[in-house]
Amino acid sequence: MIDRDLALRVQRLLSERTPFVLATVVRAHRPTSVRPGDAAIVLADGSIEGFVGGVCAVSSVRLHGLRAMETGEPLVLRLLPDEGDGDPAEAMEGAVVERNPCLSGGALEIFLEPHLPPARLVVIGDSPIADALGRVAGAAGYDCERAAAGDGIEIGGAGAVIVASHGNDEEAILAEALRAGIAYVALVASRRRGEAVRAGLPVPTELAAQLHTPAGLDIGARSPGEIAVAILADIIARRHTDPVPGRPARPGTPAPAAEGSARSEATDPVCGMRVAITPATPQLVAGGQTLYFCSGHCRDAYAAQHAVP
């Protein structure tokens, strides 16, 4: 069972909208010091808090925990010693099997559950379309924040900024959102007025070109509710076809490796384990090259063998 301190840490991460993966041991074969119910959290930088086994188990939890964070899909991680305890072919859908060459204890099964904050939408304006968009986005599971034009609102970290203020203080917030690199910036306006606003934005032409106006998919929407659906549909479509770095475009689609991504991995030159390339992974610079290891033991063994200071 998750201990009190870790449970409080989970609550803080949730309240701070910090992504993490909760790793919980669901089965442990003897001999092993870990027990079912032991748990840890994996953070985006690869650091791990809690206990789910020794250093070799932690290395695999780090690698696959970060992958689960990228995909947003939970999975069961089965860790088996090299000499085997079961057949990897027995893996069921939603499970990953790793042969861990340095696992000193028995087999482990660990449930990796990603907790990702809902995408944050910022809607500017108090128009009927803004009201409808707030309702529709909330129903779809988005974290929607509202502000009146000119009130000022923090847009950093938002997945989308939609301005529906009917001409009130539009240019400043649109320019700020475009400069901040917000993935989806839209203006609710007619095509003619939208192009006029675009032309007057105090940003480089290539940034102004990223403004979506008229906002939303062209589905013939007329009422505020229909326009809100069209805007949210456009946001959803673009999130799944043009994802953030390291996240698959749609379920089952491999994502391109990004620097710092869990899909950026290395092979421990001592034991042959696959490890994630993260700041928390044991590492060593040798011959101008950074090497990554499953544990400090393998790192130290490599340094001693190759006389690395």
Side-chain angles (χ1 to χ4, degrees):
M1 181 177 178
I2 186 171
D3 66 41
R4 181 176 181 275
D5 289 342
L6 194 63
L8 291 174
R9 177 70 167 132
V10 165
Q11 290 303 314
R12 285 197 300 271
L13 292 172
L14 291 172
S15 66
E16 295 166 359
R17 294 177 51 87
T18 301
F20 68 95
V21 170
L22 180 61
T24 305
V25 177
V26 295
R27 187 165 68 168
H29 290 181
R30 296 178 183 272
T32 180
S33 58
V34 71
R35 300 175 301 172
D38 286 339
I41 56 175
V42 183
L43 299 176
D45 64 356
S47 59
I48 296 179
E49 303 173 18
F51 180 68
V52 284
V55 291
C56 292
V58 164
S59 185
S60 292
V61 168
R62 175 182 293 116
L63 175 65
H64 292 283
L66 290 174
R67 285 181 169 174
M69 191 181 298
E70 289 181 347
T71 64
E73 297 294 330
L75 62 88
V76 174
L77 174 62
R78 300 187 66 207
L79 298 179
L80 307 179
D82 243 1
E83 58 271 19
D85 180 6
D87 183 354
E90 295 175 1
M92 57 186 174
E93 184 178 355
V96 172
V97 176
E98 282 281 3
R99 288 287 187 183
N100 194 317
C102 58
L103 196 66
S104 57
L108 297 175
E109 288 191 4
I110 302 171
F111 180 58
L112 303 177
E113 181 184 11
H115 291 264
L116 308 178
R120 177 169 166 255
L121 272 57
V122 174
V123 180
I124 306 298
D126 54 5
S127 64
I129 292 174
D131 293 340
L133 185 55
R135 293 193 299 271
V136 172
Y142 286 78
D143 184 356
C144 187
E145 296 182 21
R146 297 281 306 280
D151 278 359
I153 186 172
E154 174 57 49
I155 63 172
V161 172
I162 302 97
V163 177
S165 58
H166 292 295
N168 295 319
D169 297 316
E170 294 171 333
E171 291 83 356
I173 188 66
L174 290 171
E176 180 185 356
L178 291 168
R179 291 194 196 101
I182 303 300
Y184 186 89
V185 181
L187 171 65
V188 177
S190 66
R191 190 174 304 278
R192 182 176 179 178
R193 191 172 75 81
E195 290 303 327
V197 171
R198 187 201 306 276
L201 290 176
V203 298
T205 303
E206 58 272 19
L207 282 184
Q210 297 175 19
L211 175 65
H212 298 277
T213 186
L217 297 178
D218 185 4
I219 58 174
R222 295 185 178 182
S223 69
E226 290 176 343
I227 294 171
V229 169
I231 293 171
L232 189 62
D234 197 13
I235 293 171
I236 293 171
R238 293 176 187 276
R239 287 190 73 212
H240 289 298
T241 58
D242 186 19
V244 296
R247 180 174 294 175
R250 48 181 70 88
T253 303
E259 184 177 358
S261 158
R263 293 182 182 274
S264 296
E265 62 179 62
T267 300
D268 185 319
V270 175
C271 69
M273 275 188 61
R274 294 183 301 150
V275 297
I277 297 177
T278 76
T281 305
Q283 53 194 268
L284 181 70
V285 177
Q289 179 182 8
T290 302
L291 304 175
Y292 295 87
F293 301 85
C294 72
S295 64
H297 175 75
C298 280
R299 178 190 58 201
D300 295 344
Y302 184 92
Q305 182 180 357
H306 295 82
V308 179

